[in-house]
PDB file of all heavy atoms in Angstrom:
ATOM      1  N   PRO A   1       3.439  58.634  23.678  1.00  0.00           N
ATOM      2  CA  PRO A   1       4.300  59.811  23.808  1.00  0.00           C
ATOM      3  C   PRO A   1       5.752  59.473  23.466  1.00  0.00           C
ATOM      4  O   PRO A   1       6.195  58.340  23.639  1.00  0.00           O
ATOM      5  CB  PRO A   1       4.181  60.191  25.290  1.00  0.00           C
ATOM      6  CG  PRO A   1       3.005  59.432  25.810  1.00  0.00           C
ATOM      7  CD  PRO A   1       2.826  58.243  24.934  1.00  0.00           C
ATOM      8  N   ALA A   2       6.474  60.444  22.993  1.00  0.00           N
ATOM      9  CA  ALA A   2       7.899  60.266  22.685  1.00  0.00           C
ATOM     10  C   ALA A   2       8.642  59.870  23.963  1.00  0.00           C
ATOM     11  O   ALA A   2       8.307  60.303  25.063  1.00  0.00           O
ATOM     12  CB  ALA A   2       8.467  61.556  22.110  1.00  0.00           C
ATOM     13  N   GLY A   3       9.632  58.987  23.796  1.00  0.00           N
ATOM     14  CA  GLY A   3      10.488  58.610  24.908  1.00  0.00           C
ATOM     15  C   GLY A   3      10.044  57.407  25.711  1.00  0.00           C
ATOM     16  O   GLY A   3      10.753  56.968  26.612  1.00  0.00           O
ATOM     17  N   VAL A   4       8.897  56.840  25.418  1.00  0.00           N
ATOM     18  CA  VAL A   4       8.414  55.678  26.170  1.00  0.00           C
ATOM     19  C   VAL A   4       9.393  54.511  26.060  1.00  0.00           C
ATOM     20  O   VAL A   4       9.654  53.809  27.028  1.00  0.00           O
ATOM     21  CB  VAL A   4       7.000  55.257  25.709  1.00  0.00           C
ATOM     22  CG1 VAL A   4       6.598  53.905  26.294  1.00  0.00           C
ATOM     23  CG2 VAL A   4       5.983  56.313  26.078  1.00  0.00           C
ATOM     24  N   PHE A   5       9.945  54.295  24.864  1.00  0.00           N
ATOM     25  CA  PHE A   5      10.874  53.192  24.637  1.00  0.00           C
ATOM     26  C   PHE A   5      12.330  53.663  24.584  1.00  0.00           C
ATOM     27  O   PHE A   5      13.162  53.090  23.915  1.00  0.00           O
ATOM     28  CB  PHE A   5      10.518  52.429  23.359  1.00  0.00           C
ATOM     29  CG  PHE A   5       9.172  51.772  23.422  1.00  0.00           C
ATOM     30  CD1 PHE A   5       8.233  52.015  22.433  1.00  0.00           C
ATOM     31  CD2 PHE A   5       8.836  50.916  24.459  1.00  0.00           C
ATOM     32  CE1 PHE A   5       6.985  51.404  22.478  1.00  0.00           C
ATOM     33  CE2 PHE A   5       7.591  50.310  24.509  1.00  0.00           C
ATOM     34  CZ  PHE A   5       6.664  50.550  23.523  1.00  0.00           C
ATOM     35  N   GLY A   6      12.637  54.728  25.264  1.00  0.00           N
ATOM     36  CA  GLY A   6      14.007  55.248  25.298  1.00  0.00           C
ATOM     37  C   GLY A   6      14.077  56.648  24.727  1.00  0.00           C
ATOM     38  O   GLY A   6      13.128  57.139  24.111  1.00  0.00           O
ATOM     39  N   LYS A   7      15.220  57.289  24.933  1.00  0.00           N
ATOM     40  CA  LYS A   7      15.350  58.698  24.550  1.00  0.00           C
ATOM     41  C   LYS A   7      15.237  58.933  23.043  1.00  0.00           C
ATOM     42  O   LYS A   7      14.892  60.017  22.611  1.00  0.00           O
ATOM     43  CB  LYS A   7      16.660  59.276  25.076  1.00  0.00           C
ATOM     44  CG  LYS A   7      17.891  58.650  24.474  1.00  0.00           C
ATOM     45  CD  LYS A   7      19.146  59.287  25.021  1.00  0.00           C
ATOM     46  CE  LYS A   7      20.330  58.622  24.333  1.00  0.00           C
ATOM     47  NZ  LYS A   7      21.443  59.478  24.206  1.00  0.00           N
ATOM     48  N   ASP A   8      15.513  57.899  22.241  1.00  0.00           N
ATOM     49  CA  ASP A   8      15.423  58.056  20.788  1.00  0.00           C
ATOM     50  C   ASP A   8      14.048  57.682  20.226  1.00  0.00           C
ATOM     51  O   ASP A   8      13.838  57.753  19.014  1.00  0.00           O
ATOM     52  CB  ASP A   8      16.499  57.207  20.100  1.00  0.00           C
ATOM     53  CG  ASP A   8      17.896  57.676  20.450  1.00  0.00           C
ATOM     54  OD1 ASP A   8      18.071  58.895  20.674  1.00  0.00           O
ATOM     55  OD2 ASP A   8      18.813  56.839  20.498  1.00  0.00           O
ATOM     56  N   ASP A   9      13.127  57.294  21.086  1.00  0.00           N
ATOM     57  CA  ASP A   9      11.782  56.911  20.647  1.00  0.00           C
ATOM     58  C   ASP A   9      10.993  58.166  20.276  1.00  0.00           C
ATOM     59  O   ASP A   9      10.736  59.003  21.130  1.00  0.00           O
ATOM     60  CB  ASP A   9      11.071  56.143  21.767  1.00  0.00           C
ATOM     61  CG  ASP A   9       9.633  55.803  21.434  1.00  0.00           C
ATOM     62  OD1 ASP A   9       9.254  55.840  20.247  1.00  0.00           O
ATOM     63  OD2 ASP A   9       8.880  55.486  22.374  1.00  0.00           O
ATOM     64  N   PRO A  10      10.597  58.292  18.987  1.00  0.00           N
ATOM     65  CA  PRO A  10       9.870  59.492  18.568  1.00  0.00           C
ATOM     66  C   PRO A  10       8.389  59.486  18.963  1.00  0.00           C
ATOM     67  O   PRO A  10       7.681  60.464  18.762  1.00  0.00           O
ATOM     68  CB  PRO A  10      10.015  59.467  17.044  1.00  0.00           C
ATOM     69  CG  PRO A  10      10.114  58.013  16.709  1.00  0.00           C
ATOM     70  CD  PRO A  10      10.848  57.386  17.877  1.00  0.00           C
ATOM     71  N   GLY A  11       7.922  58.384  19.516  1.00  0.00           N
ATOM     72  CA  GLY A  11       6.496  58.277  19.819  1.00  0.00           C
ATOM     73  C   GLY A  11       5.737  57.791  18.604  1.00  0.00           C
ATOM     74  O   GLY A  11       6.308  57.536  17.555  1.00  0.00           O
ATOM     75  N   GLY A  12       4.453  57.665  18.737  1.00  0.00           N
ATOM     76  CA  GLY A  12       3.635  57.209  17.621  1.00  0.00           C
ATOM     77  C   GLY A  12       2.550  56.270  18.092  1.00  0.00           C
ATOM     78  O   GLY A  12       2.360  56.064  19.290  1.00  0.00           O
ATOM     79  N   PRO A  13       1.823  55.673  17.154  1.00  0.00           N
ATOM     80  CA  PRO A  13       0.740  54.768  17.549  1.00  0.00           C
ATOM     81  C   PRO A  13       1.266  53.447  18.104  1.00  0.00           C
ATOM     82  O   PRO A  13       2.268  52.923  17.626  1.00  0.00           O
ATOM     83  CB  PRO A  13      -0.031  54.548  16.255  1.00  0.00           C
ATOM     84  CG  PRO A  13       0.948  54.830  15.170  1.00  0.00           C
ATOM     85  CD  PRO A  13       1.917  55.827  15.719  1.00  0.00           C
ATOM     86  N   SER A  14       0.604  52.930  19.129  1.00  0.00           N
ATOM     87  CA  SER A  14       0.955  51.642  19.736  1.00  0.00           C
ATOM     88  C   SER A  14      -0.315  50.894  20.093  1.00  0.00           C
ATOM     89  O   SER A  14      -1.310  51.497  20.504  1.00  0.00           O
ATOM     90  CB  SER A  14       1.759  51.836  21.034  1.00  0.00           C
ATOM     91  OG  SER A  14       3.019  52.364  20.783  1.00  0.00           O
ATOM     92  N   TRP A  15      -0.259  49.572  19.931  1.00  0.00           N
ATOM     93  CA  TRP A  15      -1.376  48.749  20.376  1.00  0.00           C
ATOM     94  C   TRP A  15      -1.246  48.550  21.885  1.00  0.00           C
ATOM     95  O   TRP A  15      -0.197  48.160  22.371  1.00  0.00           O
ATOM     96  CB  TRP A  15      -1.367  47.398  19.670  1.00  0.00           C
ATOM     97  CG  TRP A  15      -1.807  47.487  18.246  1.00  0.00           C
ATOM     98  CD1 TRP A  15      -1.016  47.435  17.139  1.00  0.00           C
ATOM     99  CD2 TRP A  15      -3.144  47.657  17.774  1.00  0.00           C
ATOM    100  NE1 TRP A  15      -1.781  47.560  16.004  1.00  0.00           N
ATOM    101  CE2 TRP A  15      -3.090  47.700  16.363  1.00  0.00           C
ATOM    102  CE3 TRP A  15      -4.379  47.786  18.400  1.00  0.00           C
ATOM    103  CZ2 TRP A  15      -4.232  47.858  15.576  1.00  0.00           C
ATOM    104  CZ3 TRP A  15      -5.520  47.936  17.615  1.00  0.00           C
ATOM    105  CH2 TRP A  15      -5.439  47.979  16.226  1.00  0.00           C
ATOM    106  N   VAL A  16      -2.330  48.829  22.602  1.00  0.00           N
ATOM    107  CA  VAL A  16      -2.352  48.727  24.053  1.00  0.00           C
ATOM    108  C   VAL A  16      -3.429  47.718  24.448  1.00  0.00           C
ATOM    109  O   VAL A  16      -4.585  47.824  24.003  1.00  0.00           O
ATOM    110  CB  VAL A  16      -2.664  50.099  24.698  1.00  0.00           C
ATOM    111  CG1 VAL A  16      -2.775  49.986  26.207  1.00  0.00           C
ATOM    112  CG2 VAL A  16      -1.622  51.126  24.299  1.00  0.00           C
ATOM    113  N   THR A  17      -3.062  46.733  25.276  1.00  0.00           N
ATOM    114  CA  THR A  17      -4.043  45.755  25.748  1.00  0.00           C
ATOM    115  C   THR A  17      -4.971  46.447  26.741  1.00  0.00           C
ATOM    116  O   THR A  17      -4.524  47.053  27.713  1.00  0.00           O
ATOM    117  CB  THR A  17      -3.345  44.558  26.411  1.00  0.00           C
ATOM    118  OG1 THR A  17      -2.497  43.933  25.440  1.00  0.00           O
ATOM    119  CG2 THR A  17      -4.355  43.547  26.932  1.00  0.00           C
ATOM    120  N   VAL A  18      -6.277  46.351  26.481  1.00  0.00           N
ATOM    121  CA  VAL A  18      -7.260  47.016  27.335  1.00  0.00           C
ATOM    122  C   VAL A  18      -8.146  46.029  28.094  1.00  0.00           C
ATOM    123  O   VAL A  18      -8.960  46.420  28.919  1.00  0.00           O
ATOM    124  CB  VAL A  18      -8.142  47.996  26.520  1.00  0.00           C
ATOM    125  CG1 VAL A  18      -7.293  49.138  25.978  1.00  0.00           C
ATOM    126  CG2 VAL A  18      -8.876  47.279  25.400  1.00  0.00           C
ATOM    127  N   GLY A  19      -7.984  44.747  27.827  1.00  0.00           N
ATOM    128  CA  GLY A  19      -8.784  43.749  28.533  1.00  0.00           C
ATOM    129  C   GLY A  19      -8.674  42.395  27.867  1.00  0.00           C
ATOM    130  O   GLY A  19      -7.920  42.198  26.918  1.00  0.00           O
ATOM    131  N   GLY A  20      -9.437  41.452  28.402  1.00  0.00           N
ATOM    132  CA  GLY A  20      -9.443  40.106  27.853  1.00  0.00           C
ATOM    133  C   GLY A  20     -10.633  39.334  28.359  1.00  0.00           C
ATOM    134  O   GLY A  20     -11.381  39.803  29.231  1.00  0.00           O
ATOM    135  N   ALA A  21     -10.818  38.141  27.825  1.00  0.00           N
ATOM    136  CA  ALA A  21     -11.965  37.316  28.212  1.00  0.00           C
ATOM    137  C   ALA A  21     -11.744  35.884  27.745  1.00  0.00           C
ATOM    138  O   ALA A  21     -10.815  35.592  27.003  1.00  0.00           O
ATOM    139  CB  ALA A  21     -13.247  37.870  27.594  1.00  0.00           C
ATOM    140  N   ARG A  22     -12.628  35.009  28.201  1.00  0.00           N
ATOM    141  CA  ARG A  22     -12.678  33.640  27.695  1.00  0.00           C
ATOM    142  C   ARG A  22     -13.811  33.568  26.684  1.00  0.00           C
ATOM    143  O   ARG A  22     -14.763  34.339  26.753  1.00  0.00           O
ATOM    144  CB  ARG A  22     -12.962  32.647  28.831  1.00  0.00           C
ATOM    145  CG  ARG A  22     -11.787  32.435  29.738  1.00  0.00           C
ATOM    146  CD  ARG A  22     -11.910  31.248  30.663  1.00  0.00           C
ATOM    147  NE  ARG A  22     -13.210  31.047  31.264  1.00  0.00           N
ATOM    148  CZ  ARG A  22     -13.699  29.855  31.587  1.00  0.00           C
ATOM    149  NH1 ARG A  22     -13.013  28.764  31.353  1.00  0.00           N
ATOM    150  NH2 ARG A  22     -14.874  29.741  32.149  1.00  0.00           N
ATOM    151  N   PHE A  23     -13.711  32.594  25.775  1.00  0.00           N
ATOM    152  CA  PHE A  23     -14.795  32.415  24.805  1.00  0.00           C
ATOM    153  C   PHE A  23     -15.106  30.938  24.635  1.00  0.00           C
ATOM    154  O   PHE A  23     -14.263  30.071  24.832  1.00  0.00           O
ATOM    155  CB  PHE A  23     -14.436  33.035  23.442  1.00  0.00           C
ATOM    156  CG  PHE A  23     -13.284  32.354  22.746  1.00  0.00           C
ATOM    157  CD1 PHE A  23     -13.493  31.246  21.927  1.00  0.00           C
ATOM    158  CD2 PHE A  23     -11.992  32.822  22.911  1.00  0.00           C
ATOM    159  CE1 PHE A  23     -12.428  30.616  21.286  1.00  0.00           C
ATOM    160  CE2 PHE A  23     -10.926  32.205  22.275  1.00  0.00           C
ATOM    161  CZ  PHE A  23     -11.140  31.101  21.466  1.00  0.00           C
ATOM    162  N   LEU A  24     -16.339  30.680  24.271  1.00  0.00           N
ATOM    163  CA  LEU A  24     -16.827  29.356  23.889  1.00  0.00           C
ATOM    164  C   LEU A  24     -17.582  29.568  22.582  1.00  0.00           C
ATOM    165  O   LEU A  24     -18.594  30.270  22.558  1.00  0.00           O
ATOM    166  CB  LEU A  24     -17.775  28.785  24.945  1.00  0.00           C
ATOM    167  CG  LEU A  24     -17.172  28.626  26.332  1.00  0.00           C
ATOM    168  CD1 LEU A  24     -18.218  28.889  27.399  1.00  0.00           C
ATOM    169  CD2 LEU A  24     -16.610  27.243  26.480  1.00  0.00           C
ATOM    170  N   ASN A  25     -17.069  29.006  21.499  1.00  0.00           N
ATOM    171  CA  ASN A  25     -17.694  29.165  20.190  1.00  0.00           C
ATOM    172  C   ASN A  25     -18.153  27.806  19.674  1.00  0.00           C
ATOM    173  O   ASN A  25     -17.368  26.862  19.635  1.00  0.00           O
ATOM    174  CB  ASN A  25     -16.712  29.778  19.188  1.00  0.00           C
ATOM    175  CG  ASN A  25     -16.319  31.190  19.556  1.00  0.00           C
ATOM    176  OD1 ASN A  25     -17.054  31.900  20.222  1.00  0.00           O
ATOM    177  ND2 ASN A  25     -15.155  31.604  19.120  1.00  0.00           N
ATOM    178  N   ILE A  26     -19.395  27.733  19.280  1.00  0.00           N
ATOM    179  CA  ILE A  26     -19.939  26.507  18.706  1.00  0.00           C
ATOM    180  C   ILE A  26     -19.967  26.669  17.190  1.00  0.00           C
ATOM    181  O   ILE A  26     -20.535  27.634  16.669  1.00  0.00           O
ATOM    182  CB  ILE A  26     -21.353  26.214  19.240  1.00  0.00           C
ATOM    183  CG1 ILE A  26     -21.291  25.971  20.749  1.00  0.00           C
ATOM    184  CG2 ILE A  26     -21.967  25.020  18.509  1.00  0.00           C
ATOM    185  CD1 ILE A  26     -22.636  25.847  21.422  1.00  0.00           C
ATOM    186  N   TYR A  27     -19.308  25.732  16.509  1.00  0.00           N
ATOM    187  CA  TYR A  27     -19.275  25.720  15.053  1.00  0.00           C
ATOM    188  C   TYR A  27     -20.092  24.542  14.547  1.00  0.00           C
ATOM    189  O   TYR A  27     -19.907  23.420  14.998  1.00  0.00           O
ATOM    190  CB  TYR A  27     -17.841  25.577  14.536  1.00  0.00           C
ATOM    191  CG  TYR A  27     -17.018  26.827  14.662  1.00  0.00           C
ATOM    192  CD1 TYR A  27     -16.340  27.120  15.831  1.00  0.00           C
ATOM    193  CD2 TYR A  27     -16.926  27.718  13.597  1.00  0.00           C
ATOM    194  CE1 TYR A  27     -15.579  28.271  15.943  1.00  0.00           C
ATOM    195  CE2 TYR A  27     -16.165  28.865  13.699  1.00  0.00           C
ATOM    196  CZ  TYR A  27     -15.493  29.140  14.879  1.00  0.00           C
ATOM    197  OH  TYR A  27     -14.742  30.276  14.996  1.00  0.00           O
ATOM    198  N   GLN A  28     -20.959  24.811  13.595  1.00  0.00           N
ATOM    199  CA  GLN A  28     -21.768  23.766  12.969  1.00  0.00           C
ATOM    200  C   GLN A  28     -21.122  23.365  11.644  1.00  0.00           C
ATOM    201  O   GLN A  28     -20.700  24.221  10.863  1.00  0.00           O
ATOM    202  CB  GLN A  28     -23.187  24.279  12.717  1.00  0.00           C
ATOM    203  CG  GLN A  28     -24.099  23.249  12.109  1.00  0.00           C
ATOM    204  CD  GLN A  28     -25.509  23.791  11.911  1.00  0.00           C
ATOM    205  OE1 GLN A  28     -25.886  24.831  12.431  1.00  0.00           O
ATOM    206  NE2 GLN A  28     -26.293  23.066  11.136  1.00  0.00           N
TER     207      GLN A  28
END
């Protein structure tokens, strides 16, 4: 939404972190 980053912020698409995890990858 407009204004999230201050009064001059017009809004727009933003990347939002929705989660995370650990990984174990085996490479041959």
